[in-house]
Amino acid sequence: TQLLEQSPQFLSIQEGENLTVYCNSSSVFSSLQWYRQEPGEGPVLLVTVVTGGEVKKLKRLTFQFGDARKDSSLHITAAQPGDTGLYLCAGLLYGQNFVFGPGTRLSVLP
Amino acid sequence: DSGVTQTPKHLITATGQRVTLRCSPRSGDLSVYWYQQSLDQGLQFLIQYYNGEERAKGNILERFSAQQFPDLHSELNLSSLELGDSALYFCASSVTSGDTDTQYFGPGTRLTVL
């Protein structure tokens, strides 16, 4: 059983479309991070959200941390082929370690 | 470039052998984490060191061990290798800001056990 669930598992869309991916848990996290990983490379940090209800924007990416600090979403506006990759969320449990979700594999077709 | 370095980038070895993976954290980061990523398992936390001391253990097999040296670099030792140990092994270092940690990942070592 995964402590962090991500949905959808796979997503294939056309360039210019919008999309949202989700990260859900029954656990409360002190913070949550989103990463993008390309094949054969290490995950690259996109954002860290700390406060419940927090919204952060990074160009066309909008990240939201749930009010209860148990879930998060990543919304991409006008997706581009360069957005293709594996999107991972990772939650930091209070006094413990990071747990990673299984990831959403995004493919943006030109 | 995250500032975390890992060597080697690729490693091919045979079952039963022993290998050592090396990680240098970002300058100033005291924590080092090791993860294993295989196709069907996602990123699995193995172990964490903080300033030379083991801080947390995850799903690390008894055949695997790690240490962090005084200069803060870390090594992950994998012994009696099995085919199922083939995977990407990532090291991450972290910095604490306020009340949260942020991890930065290295480029990984791809281990292939034949």
Side-chain angles (χ1 to χ4, degrees):
Chain A
T1 303
Q2 290 272 359
L3 196 57
L4 264 177
E5 301 286 346
Q6 286 190 247
S7 60
Q9 190 177 359
F10 299 97
L11 187 56
S12 182
I13 61 171
Q14 293 295 132
E15 182 176 3
E17 292 184 7
N18 301 333
L19 67 115
T20 303
V21 297
Y22 299 93
C23 175
N24 296 287
S25 177
S26 57
S27 298
V28 177
F29 298 105
S30 63
S31 66
L32 192 136
Q33 300 175 349
W34 284 93
Y35 294 83
R36 186 166 72 94
Q37 185 180 20
E38 299 196 25
E41 301 190 4
V44 176
L45 180 68
L46 297 174
V47 78
T48 299
V49 285
V50 178
T51 307
E54 181 177 2
V55 177
K56 276 192 175 177
K57 291 194 174 184
L58 186 68
K59 296 184 182 178
R60 294 177 294 101
L61 278 59
T62 301
F63 305 85
Q64 184 161 11
F65 199 14
D67 291 342
R69 311 165 75 98
K70 295 181 179 181
D71 55 86
S72 181
S73 64
L74 158 59
H75 181 80
I76 302 179
T77 304
Q80 299 176 1
D83 296 326
T84 294
L86 179 67
Y87 288 82
L88 296 162
C89 65
L92 179 60
L93 292 166
Y94 285 97
Q96 298 183 47
N97 261 305
F98 291 94
V99 291
F100 278 80
T104 291
R105 194 165 297 280
L106 172 66
S107 177
V108 182
L109 306 172
Chain B
D1 184 353
S2 67
V4 179
T5 60
Q6 288 187 250
T7 56
K9 183 127 178 95
H10 300 278
L11 199 47
I12 301 175
T13 188
T15 54
Q17 295 298 305
R18 173 190 169 94
V19 297
T20 297
L21 313 184
R22 183 188 167 102
C23 167
S24 291
R26 297 183 332 147
S27 177
D29 287 357
L30 300 179
S31 269
V32 168
Y33 303 77
W34 286 97
Y35 291 87
Q36 180 192 58
Q37 188 178 41
S38 52
L39 280 175
D40 58 346
Q41 290 289 321
L43 261 172
Q44 300 291 317
F45 168 67
L46 296 177
I47 197 165
Q48 179 202 359
Y49 278 83
Y50 179 84
N51 202 21
E53 299 288 326
E54 182 185 303
R55 175 165 274 193
K57 260 187 176 179
N59 301 321
I60 189 166
L61 299 172
E62 286 194 11
R63 300 183 286 109
F64 296 0
S65 64
Q67 54 185 328
Q68 187 179 28
F69 295 87
D71 67 352
L72 301 179
H73 90 270
S74 178
E75 293 181 355
L76 178 67
N77 301 295
L78 314 177
S79 61
S80 302
L81 285 167
E82 302 174 359
L83 295 177
D85 298 327
S86 295
L88 273 166
Y89 290 84
F90 290 104
C91 161
S93 70
S94 74
V95 60
T96 299
S97 175
D99 56 0
T100 192
D101 285 354
T102 297
Q103 288 187 104
Y104 296 88
F105 281 80
T109 292
R110 181 177 290 282
L111 173 66
T112 302
V113 182
L114 301 175

